[in-house]
Amino acid sequence: MSYAQVYSQWQQDPEGFWLSAAGGIDWVKKPTKALSADRAPLYEWFTDATVNTCWNAVDRHVVAGRGKQPAIIHDSPVTGTKHVITYAELQDRVARLAGALKAKGVTKGDRVIIYMPMVPEALEAMLACGRIGAIHSVVFGGFAAHELAVRIDDCTPKAIIAASCGIEPSRVVHYKPLLDAAIEQATHKPDFCVIFQREQEVAKLVPGRDVAWHEFQYGVTPADCEPVEGNHPAYILYTSGTTGAPKGVVRPTAGHLVALNWTMRAIYNCGAGDVFWAASDVGWVVGHSYICYAPLIAGCTTIVYEGKPVGTPDAAAFWRVIGEHKVRSFFTAPTALRAIKRDDPEGKLVPKLPTLQALFLAGERADPDTIQWAQRHLNVPVIDHWWQTETGYAIAANPFGIEHLPVKIGSPSVPMPGYDVQVLDEGGHPVSPGTLGAIAVKLPLPPGTLPTLWNAEDRFRKSYLDHFPGYYETGDAGYIDADGYLYIMARTDDVINVAGHRLSTGAMEEVLASHKDVAECAVIGVADDLKGQSPLGFLCLNKGSNRPHDEVVKECVQLVRDQIGPVADFKRAVVVDRLPKTRSGKILRGTMVKIADGQPWKMPATIDDPVILDEITTALQSLGLAKA
Ligand code: COA
Ligand code: AMP
């Protein structure tokens, strides 16, 4: 069938389409209906089914006779180790960990925070939670203690599973002191913490609260897979919104299984026995969906890579992994390829990669130079696809496993079944092809997408549903061309994308505003050749503050690193007298971005005092920005 036929099949009978896709999953109790719409515009899928995620990702492959197949390959250039875990071993390890959690009182619906680097134990912890119906929330290792504390207070975990350390090329990341500080800061206290001690750093355990990974599991009865209802939350993943408080995206169990399983063939063209690699981190949605769940649900071998695209040891690292482990489909962020291209512009380090069938890019806009470089040197289709933490898988893609459609560089191609994507004007009316507007998806969203935000249904409605009734507001702006190809141009909110990481400028502003000398501030994302965007702060100091500006800037940079974490990559700020505002007091961030990036801009009609923009331009020029 062609893409057009598959999409039209879904349009004609959405529920039939997803019930048929549900055939790829092992159910304890099969769903008799797909969609529950009684609380519209809040929707749920497969609510009358019961199922277990871990069974589908692990046990069923052992039962099917593939116990000896590698499930996980850990390839860790930062520690100089490689390690294979078969499906049978994975089943054993996960069942034991789940048994240990159960023995300590973790039961269905309890939350468990996972704070770990790129080690197989992170996936095992996720799967062990799924095995007993506990809801995990993985926190990315590049976040500081404060961000971890915020998540602890929001999802109130019974347990936290953490590693003693992570390894960045330049340093050891001391997870345990960050964890201790986070628990100290948080109001909610977990009952216990399980610490995976790595040989690079053995952490000091808090007696009575912390228990070491192996000791924790010693002598326990392995746990069986416990059935949960289709709409039971599999996990909560926090993502950046407009304010400092992260949004807890809820992932429903059954829809997640059905949809991810469908994407593995339709989009990535992979099935049981194939090696699939997403070079991301388990702390992000790409890591949840395509390092852990989807490849395992489909019976593939997944690679857990603990390294960087460059510097571990060089720009050939990705190609070594692909060649050595015979990767069939490879997924990464454009920023990683830009880093490789910068070190190897001629592609001299790219060998022949006979097993590789396609490269998939997502997480940020894929710029044409990067796509063309990859096409030229890898000699395989390069497929940009667009998605969000909220959806958990691609909204738009080139469905490589169904039909490789003509590529239009700059476009993540066409909507996937399940998504009726429309571009709307401010009044909520669809615009004509080629016209820029807010990108929205007609409700209901397909299975696996967020049904709500954790403990925050009002915020869910306000953030996504209220602005355009009947639609899910994506927060992205763009257009659809006459052939139905989608183009994602910018965010409509204050979210920026730094090195494929989604960050909130609002959160950074909250931190800067807490500095004693800062009266007012703004953070914008300026264009960056490597990272796509880079955050930049504007600081207005309190009257009477006579501190040297560079001292305040240095303290502010440190403050963001301490409060949000190194991942914010906040390294630049500048002191200005005033911020440009509209007469109603709204800061003109968009205009500042255009000036910083040297793009054409118009004097906003509503500006309070145009002279301020001259001051801003001068400040930006002092940083080497705002070049015409
Ligand atoms: N734990 C702790 N710290 C981390 C971390 C982690 N898991 N990941 C990143 N950091 C730190 C880095 O060490 C760096 O710290 P520094 O300021 O002390 O140097 C900071 O966070 C910023 O990291 P990063 O944005 O990764 O920049 P970089 O210069 O180290 O590397 C790239 C640049 C392009 C190589 C890197 O960003 C990259 O590989 N990006 C791909 C991202 C990706 O896969 N995203 C997933 C979406 S699909
Ligand atoms: P995250 O939730 O971290 O996955 O980030 C989602 C956001 O990243 C989207 O809303 C987009 O702004 C951006 N994004 C993801 N994929 C793409 C893509 N292929 N092209 C353009 N922007 C993208």
Side-chain angles (χ1 to χ4, degrees), residues 363-365 384-389 476 488 491 497 502:
E364 54 170 332
R365 204 179 104 78
D384 179 15
H385 57 330
W386 167 61
W387 49 300
Q388 311 184 307
T389 304
D476 283 317
I488 314 296
R491 289 285 304 188
N497 200 313
R502 174 166 159 184

Side-chain angles (χ1 to χ4, degrees), residues 327-548:
V327 172
R328 185 165 150 87
S329 284
F330 174 50
F331 182 160
T332 190
T335 188
L337 280 191
R338 287 196 294 270
I340 294 170
K341 174 162 72 93
R342 190 175 62 175
D343 282 10
D344 183 22
E346 308 296 330
K348 292 200 172 109
L349 298 176
V350 189
K352 281 211 169 14
L353 298 167
T355 59
L356 187 69
Q357 61 170 350
L359 164 69
F360 295 85
L361 298 176
E364 54 170 332
R365 204 179 104 78
D367 54 290
D369 269 5
T370 302
I371 294 184
Q372 281 156 348
W373 182 90
Q375 283 173 331
R376 208 164 43 243
H377 299 296
L378 292 174
N379 217 7
V380 293
V382 177
I383 294 175
D384 179 15
H385 57 330
W386 167 61
W387 49 300
Q388 311 184 307
T389 304
E390 288 84 345
T391 64
Y393 58 100
I395 308 169
N398 197 321
F400 186 67
I402 297 174
E403 177 188 4
H404 186 212
L405 298 170
V407 170
K408 293 197 188 192
I409 288 186
S411 165
S413 302
V414 293
M416 289 298 89
Y419 294 98
D420 177 354
V421 182
Q422 302 200 8
V423 178
L424 307 178
D425 64 18
E426 234 340 274
H429 310 293
V431 298
S432 51
T435 309
L436 201 66
I439 306 178
V441 182
K442 205 141 202 328
L443 293 172
L445 289 178
T449 57
L450 82 171
T452 189
L453 293 174
W454 182 254
N455 271 343
E457 191 177 298
D458 267 4
R459 189 175 182 198
F460 173 67
R461 288 175 188 270
K462 279 197 196 99
S463 307
Y464 303 107
L465 307 180
D466 287 356
H467 195 162
F468 300 118
Y471 292 90
Y472 162 81
E473 185 183 4
T474 65
D476 283 317
Y479 64 94
I480 299 178
D481 74 8
D483 298 324
Y485 278 59
L486 204 63
Y487 292 77
I488 314 296
M489 306 308 287
R491 289 285 304 188
T492 56
D493 54 13
D494 296 325
V495 165
I496 59 171
N497 200 313
V498 181
H501 305 141
R502 174 166 159 184
L503 299 167
S504 160
T505 54
M508 294 185 222
E509 288 173 4
E510 280 179 26
V511 174
L512 296 175
S514 72
H515 187 283
K516 63 180 175 7
D517 291 300
V518 173
E520 204 182 10
C521 63
V523 173
I524 60 169
V526 298
D528 183 276
D529 284 349
L530 175 66
K531 299 193 174 184
Q533 283 182 302
S534 163
L536 169 67
F538 294 89
L539 312 170
C540 302
L541 303 192
N542 286 319
K543 275 210 177 71
S545 164
N546 50 11
R547 308 256 330 270

Side-chain angles (χ1 to χ4, degrees), residues 81-347:
T81 58
K82 288 175 206 165
H83 180 196
V84 176
I85 298 170
T86 64
Y87 269 103
E89 287 163 348
L90 185 61
Q91 183 187 35
D92 185 48
R93 291 163 73 121
V94 171
R96 255 188 301 121
L97 180 58
L101 288 168
K102 210 171 152 180
K104 281 279 256 180
V106 176
T107 55
K108 183 183 159 200
D110 286 338
R111 275 79 56 210
V112 175
I113 279 189
I114 299 170
Y115 187 53
M116 297 181 100
M118 285 296 286
V119 290
E121 286 76 5
L123 279 66
E124 290 168 13
M126 294 161 82
L127 294 162
C129 288
R131 198 167 183 89
I132 55 172
I135 303 167
H136 66 66
S137 186
V138 182
V139 179
F140 178 61
F143 282 122
H146 173 72
E147 289 291 319
L148 181 54
V150 167
R151 286 155 176 78
I152 292 173
D153 277 336
D154 197 71
C155 76
T156 59
K158 188 169 257 183
I160 300 183
I161 305 179
S164 56
C165 69
I167 294 131
E168 282 292 287
S170 56
R171 68 201 144 92
V172 170
V173 184
H174 313 291
Y175 275 56
K176 186 56 178 27
L178 292 170
L179 172 66
D180 292 342
I183 295 176
E184 177 76 31
Q185 278 177 42
T187 311
H188 171 84
K189 310 290 175 198
D191 289 0
F192 66 97
C193 299
V194 183
I195 308 298
F196 175 64
Q197 299 280 24
R198 303 191 74 187
E199 59 184 60
Q200 290 75 15
E201 181 166 278
V202 176
K204 209 162 158 260
L205 304 186
V206 175
R209 187 196 73 188
D210 299 345
V211 47
W213 177 269
H214 292 293
E215 189 190 323
F216 178 60
Q217 300 178 56
Y218 185 74
V220 299
T221 312
D224 285 335
C225 295
E226 291 182 20
V228 299
E229 301 74 31
N231 58 354
H232 180 71
Y235 69 75
I236 305 163
L237 178 58
Y238 287 90
T239 190
S240 301
T242 302
T243 66
K247 299 174 183 172
V249 167
V250 172
R251 187 77 57 219
T253 301
H256 182 230
L257 286 165
V258 172
L260 288 191
N261 189 53
W262 182 85
T263 62
M264 281 307 286
R265 178 55 69 197
I267 300 180
Y268 304 101
N269 197 29
C270 277
D274 290 333
V275 183
F276 182 89
W277 180 26
S280 178
D281 188 288
V282 280
W284 306 114
V285 68
V286 174
H288 279 61
S289 295
Y290 292 105
I291 294 173
C292 183
Y293 289 113
L296 294 179
I297 293 164
C300 298
T301 299
T302 185
I303 294 182
V304 173
Y305 174 71
E306 193 180 19
K308 299 275 171 177
V310 293
T312 58
D314 56 25
F318 277 8
W319 320 135
R320 177 199 52 86
V321 173
I322 293 171
E324 201 172 311
H325 305 302
K326 302 190 170 46
V327 172
R328 185 165 150 87
S329 284
F330 174 50
F331 182 160
T332 190
T335 188
L337 280 191
R338 287 196 294 270
I340 294 170
K341 174 162 72 93
R342 190 175 62 175
D343 282 10
D344 183 22
E346 308 296 330

